[in-house]
């Protein structure tokens, strides 16, 4: 075995130990005392010089000894174990188990996580008396006031009046269903922005009266919608998404968003073809819906 | 002091014995290093290679791209010392870097403009390799690695664009994520993974930051290593108008078949 090292392996020596102790003393000395720095430095230097001198002497002595005939040795095939295949397989197996032990939490954390524990948001949009009948409002609110402005969303809201004795609302999301830019009303703002802050929750709701006579339009790529959210022109693939709602204690409570294929009729009489919420640009009806058979659970 | 064996013995000359001893002493540290690490011959293997006589300035585009990437890596590391990837602080910290930190405007500018330069140089380098036919046997694998590097460079551009967290960054990323989301079958999953949840939000920013400065750069470093190793192993291609063989021996037996396939290329090769 020793022949593999060339036969001139130096003997054991104290030199490296002295250097290690010296460097450690030097570093500790930086914290404690300059004297220890000097002592450590001196120790390191002394043992380094000693090592150099010693190995030079050994090299000189070894120069006289002929190097072993390595060429002849290379001819002999390397020693193997009879259980080589078993050792290879068990090394791979143990490596695989360790690898999986690391990969499972990492993938679960970074890839699977986003699909699970999807938060359910409900937002109190204020008393319904704040929404006069048949008037449109651009309303912004935070889905999660704790997370702050990054969860701010916008919806276009219209009070459709009573339908069978129950208040009816149209709540259209402003996310363009082409690629998600913010859709704007095609028409003037008819009232100043009115902001209400709730100190307890941190919620902040802003309402602006609008007159979307020409429906809604997207500034990014020119998608156009009528005032029920049906696509009229441009690249969007379906009607604008809407939000569920509930009336609780006279307040308008915003619920889950959902996707819409097409809306027939208007206001309280509208017939809405509802689908589970899909991302912008994804078809939910027609033959193209079969391109997205694996909708992940959004909301 | 007699030097360690073999590697760096000076050639036999009529130098005096004192000169020879001096030279041996001077080379002793290099010999010491070489015997223990092989670093000296490795550095020769990497840098001192035969190249075709008629290499061309166009063949420096790869090195230029590498330099551009290193500039991005270094400026990116120091920008990370001041940048704070949180929706409430990201934009403020960019303003702080640009206006307050010493030479922050310069480092951010280098990173921002360097990003475009890196992408542009990658395409120029790619065009050179294509037009010189340098993607052909035996260098196909290096072309494929280059394509992966291009995709990763573009991913760096996409993820880096969000980090200033201003209106342009936010909406461009919304559009970019939703574009990925419209890919058939797995698109919706890709979109959700990219934004780190059902909605774009604070997690999207930190996710993009991690991908931008840890995941993709690590992969780029590894692939660049492989890319360079193959360049060194296979040698530099002769330009298409070259009348000499590339700076390496042709593999035995390839000559005849190759000459038939591409007679123009092998004329002038004896």
């Amino acid at each position: 075995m020793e022949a593999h090292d060339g036969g001139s392996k130096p003997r054991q020596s104290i030199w490296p130990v002295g250097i290690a102790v010296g460097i450690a003393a030097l570093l500790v000395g930086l914290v404690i005392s300059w004297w220890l720095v000097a002592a450590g430095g001196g120790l390191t230097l002394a043992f380094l010089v000693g090592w150099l001198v010693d190995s030079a002497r050994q090299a000189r002595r070894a120069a006289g000894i002929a190097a072993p005939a390595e060429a002849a040795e290379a001819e002999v095939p390397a020693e193997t174990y009879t259980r080589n295949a078993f050792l290879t397989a068990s090394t791979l197996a143990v490596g695989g188990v360790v690898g999986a032990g690391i990969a499972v939490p990492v993938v679960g954390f970074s890839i699977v996580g986003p699909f699970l524990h999807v938060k359910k948001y409900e937002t109190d949009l204020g008393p319904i008396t704040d929404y006069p009948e048949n008037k449109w409002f651009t309303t912004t609110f935070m889905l999660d006031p704790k997370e702050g402005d990054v969860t701010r969303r916008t919806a276009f809201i219209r009070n459709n009046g009573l339908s069978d004795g129950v208040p009816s609302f149209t709540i259209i999301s402003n996310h363009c269903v082409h690629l998600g830019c913010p859709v704007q009303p095609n028409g003037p703002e008819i009232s100043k922005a009115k902001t209400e802050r709730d100190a307890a929750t941190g919620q902040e709701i802003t309402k602006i009266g609008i007159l979307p006579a020409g429906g809604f339009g997207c500034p990014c790529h020119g998608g156009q919608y009528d005032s029920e959210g049906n696509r009229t022109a441009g690249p969007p693939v379906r009607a604008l998404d809407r939000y569920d709602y509930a009336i609780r204690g006279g307040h308008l409570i915003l619920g889950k968003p959902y996707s819409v294929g097409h809306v027939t009729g208007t206001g309280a009489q509208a017939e809405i073809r509802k689908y589970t919420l899909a991302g912008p640009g994804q078809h939910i009806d027609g033959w193209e819906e079969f391109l997205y058979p694996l909708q992940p659970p959004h909301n | 002091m007699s030097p360690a064996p073999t590697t760096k013995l000076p050639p036999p000359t009529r130098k005096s014995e004192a000169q020879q001893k001096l030279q041996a002493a001077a080379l002793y540290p290099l010999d010491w290093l070489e015997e223990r690490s092989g670093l000296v011959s490795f550095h020769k293997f990497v840098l001192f290679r035969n190249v075709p006589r008629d290499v061309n300035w166009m063949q420096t585009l790869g090195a230029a791209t590498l330099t551009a990437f290193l500039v991005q890596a270094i400026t990116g590391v120091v920008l990370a010392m001041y940048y704070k990837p949180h929706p409430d602080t990201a934009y403020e910290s960019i303003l702080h870097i640009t206006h307050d930190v010493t030479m922050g405007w310069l480092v951010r500018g280098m990173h921002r403009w360097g990003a475009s330069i890196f992408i542009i140089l990658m395409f120029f380098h790619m065009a050179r390799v294509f037009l010189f036919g340098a993607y052909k046997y035996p260098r196909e694998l290096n072309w494929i690695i280059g394509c992966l590097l291009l995709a990763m460079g573009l991913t760096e551009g996409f993820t880096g664009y969000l980090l200033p967290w201003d209106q342009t960054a936010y909406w461009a990323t919304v559009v970019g994520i939703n574009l990925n989301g419209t890919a058939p079958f797995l698109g919706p999953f890709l979109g959700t993974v990219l934004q780190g949840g059902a909605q774009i939000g604070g997690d999207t920013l930190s996710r993009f930051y991690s991908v931008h400065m840890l995941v993709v750069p690590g992969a780029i470093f590894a692939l660049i290593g492989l890319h360079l190793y193959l360049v060194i192993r296979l040698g530099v291609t002769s330009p298409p108008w070259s009348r000499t063989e590339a700076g390496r021996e042709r593999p035995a037996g390839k000559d005849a078949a190759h000459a038939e396939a591409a007679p123009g290329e092998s004329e002038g090769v004896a």
Side-chain angles (χ1 to χ4, degrees):
Chain A
M1 288 300 276
E2 282 203 358
H4 289 293
D5 293 330
S8 58
K9 199 161 145 191
R11 57 175 196 272
Q12 296 289 7
S13 77
I14 195 71
W15 303 118
V17 179
I19 290 175
V21 171
I23 289 175
L26 191 150
L27 292 177
V28 172
L30 286 177
V31 182
I32 294 178
S33 146
W34 288 110
W35 292 108
L36 195 54
V37 173
L43 193 66
T44 309
L45 208 60
F47 274 74
L48 188 63
V49 169
W51 197 2
L52 284 173
V53 170
D54 192 24
S55 38
R57 194 184 302 134
Q58 282 189 45
R60 220 173 297 133
R61 203 178 304 138
I65 306 164
E70 282 191 34
E73 205 173 290
E75 303 288 321
V76 183
E79 217 179 319
T80 59
Y81 295 103
T82 48
R83 55 189 188 282
N84 249 14
F86 167 76
L87 288 174
T88 308
S90 53
T91 307
L92 287 177
V94 171
V97 168
V98 172
I102 296 164
V104 167
V106 167
V107 170
F109 181 75
S110 64
I111 309 284
V112 182
F115 295 97
L116 306 175
H117 309 299
V118 176
K119 286 180 199 156
K120 299 271 185 290
Y121 297 105
E122 278 200 343
T123 307
D124 186 341
L125 292 179
I128 57 174
T129 48
D130 282 4
Y131 298 88
E133 258 182 55
N134 292 318
K135 295 273 193 288
W136 280 100
F137 288 92
T138 297
T139 308
T140 74
F141 50 89
M142 291 182 221
L143 284 180
D144 185 354
K146 276 196 288 288
E147 260 197 76
D149 262 338
V150 75
T151 66
R152 194 177 279 284
R153 297 290 181 269
T154 300
F156 304 113
I157 302 183
R158 183 186 57 197
N159 183 348
N160 298 323
L162 294 180
S163 163
D164 298 333
V166 181
S168 159
F169 281 83
T170 297
I171 305 180
I172 296 179
S173 160
N174 82 327
H175 274 194
C176 185
V177 289
H178 173 221
L179 290 173
C181 281
V183 163
Q184 313 289 325
N186 292 334
E189 294 179 356
I190 54 172
S191 76
K192 289 227 173 93
K194 198 177 130 202
T195 302
E196 280 160 27
R197 282 186 194 84
D198 185 335
T201 60
Q203 180 61 275
E204 191 182 288
I205 293 169
T206 302
K207 285 202 278 287
I208 304 173
I210 52 168
L211 202 63
F216 304 96
C218 181
C220 286
H221 314 106
Q224 294 295 323
Y225 307 87
D226 68 19
S227 54
E228 288 299 323
N230 285 316
R231 172 190 168 274
T232 54
V237 298
R238 55 180 205 247
L240 286 170
D241 296 338
R242 295 190 177 212
Y243 284 93
D244 273 335
Y245 63 91
I247 314 291
R248 217 176 285 152
H251 279 234
L252 178 60
I253 310 290
L254 193 76
K256 278 187 349 182
Y258 58 90
S259 286
V260 177
H262 190 79
V263 182
T264 346
T266 56
Q269 282 71 47
E271 264 179 49
I272 302 164
R273 255 190 275 157
K274 286 172 88 165
Y275 295 86
T276 316
L277 185 71
Q282 293 164 22
H283 297 256
I284 52 175
D285 50 12
W287 66 269
E288 298 103 324
E289 71 171 296
F290 298 110
L291 293 175
Y292 307 100
L294 307 164
Q295 281 290 352
H298 281 293
N299 286 282
Chain B
M1 178 191 302
S2 85
T6 58
T7 46
K8 274 268 177 171
L9 284 181
T13 51
R14 268 171 290 151
K15 278 179 187 166
S16 74
E17 198 174 319
Q19 273 178 318
Q20 284 183 29
K21 268 195 168 174
L22 193 67
Q23 192 169 359
L27 289 177
Y28 183 80
L30 280 183
D31 274 331
W32 189 92
L33 192 67
E34 169 67 7
E35 195 186 357
R36 279 155 188 80
S37 66
L39 276 178
V40 175
S41 49
F42 175 74
H43 138 271
K44 280 186 183 165
F45 169 74
V46 170
L47 288 182
F48 298 94
R49 291 172 277 129
N50 290 333
V51 295
R53 189 178 296 278
D54 43 9
V55 282
N56 175 294
W57 276 103
M58 293 291 157
Q59 278 156 316
T60 61
L61 282 167
T65 314
L66 175 63
T67 310
F69 173 71
L70 292 178
V71 169
Q72 292 307 98
I74 293 165
T75 53
V77 165
V78 293
L79 282 170
M81 293 175 181
Y82 294 95
Y83 177 70
K84 300 177 184 70
H86 185 276
D88 296 342
T89 54
Y91 183 63
E92 297 304 318
S93 71
I94 293 275
L95 290 184
H96 177 62
I97 288 170
T98 313
H99 298 299
D100 304 337
V101 179
T102 310
M103 287 197 278
W105 59 274
L106 180 60
V107 175
R108 189 188 163 204
M110 286 167 75
H111 199 75
R112 190 190 177 309
W113 292 98
S116 298
I117 291 169
F118 175 49
I119 304 276
I120 290 167
L121 282 173
M122 269 198 293
F123 277 106
F124 278 156
H125 173 55
M126 193 179 188
R128 196 283 296 171
V129 169
F130 181 75
L131 295 174
F132 276 33
Y135 58 88
K136 294 178 189 171
Y137 174 86
R139 301 188 177 83
E140 304 95 319
L141 185 58
N142 228 9
W143 174 270
I144 292 167
I145 292 171
C147 290
L148 292 177
L149 280 167
L150 177 66
M152 289 180 175
L154 296 176
T155 308
E156 282 294 83
F158 177 57
T159 49
Y161 203 84
L162 176 67
L163 302 186
W165 200 248
D166 53 13
Q167 289 292 320
T168 322
Y170 181 87
W171 291 110
T173 302
V174 166
V175 168
I177 287 178
N178 288 327
L179 264 176
N180 282 287
T182 60
F185 300 105
L186 290 180
F189 285 88
L190 184 58
T192 304
V193 169
L194 276 174
Q195 64 197 11
Q199 309 269 359
I200 190 168
D203 284 350
T204 315
L205 180 58
S206 44
R207 174 166 291 246
F208 270 45
Y209 184 57
S210 161
V211 170
H212 183 76
M213 65 174 289
L214 297 169
V215 180
V216 177
I220 290 182
F221 268 113
L223 284 180
I224 284 181
L226 208 54
H227 204 62
L228 290 181
Y229 168 71
L230 287 180
V231 168
I232 291 161
R233 180 184 161 87
L234 301 172
V236 174
T237 351
S238 298
W241 54 82
S242 172
R243 299 185 64 82
T244 57
E245 186 50 275
R248 64 188 286 268
E249 297 273 330
R250 255 198 185 157
K254 292 285 175 194
D255 245 357
H258 202 81
E260 267 173 43
E265 205 180 312
S266 56
E267 74 186 15
V269 179

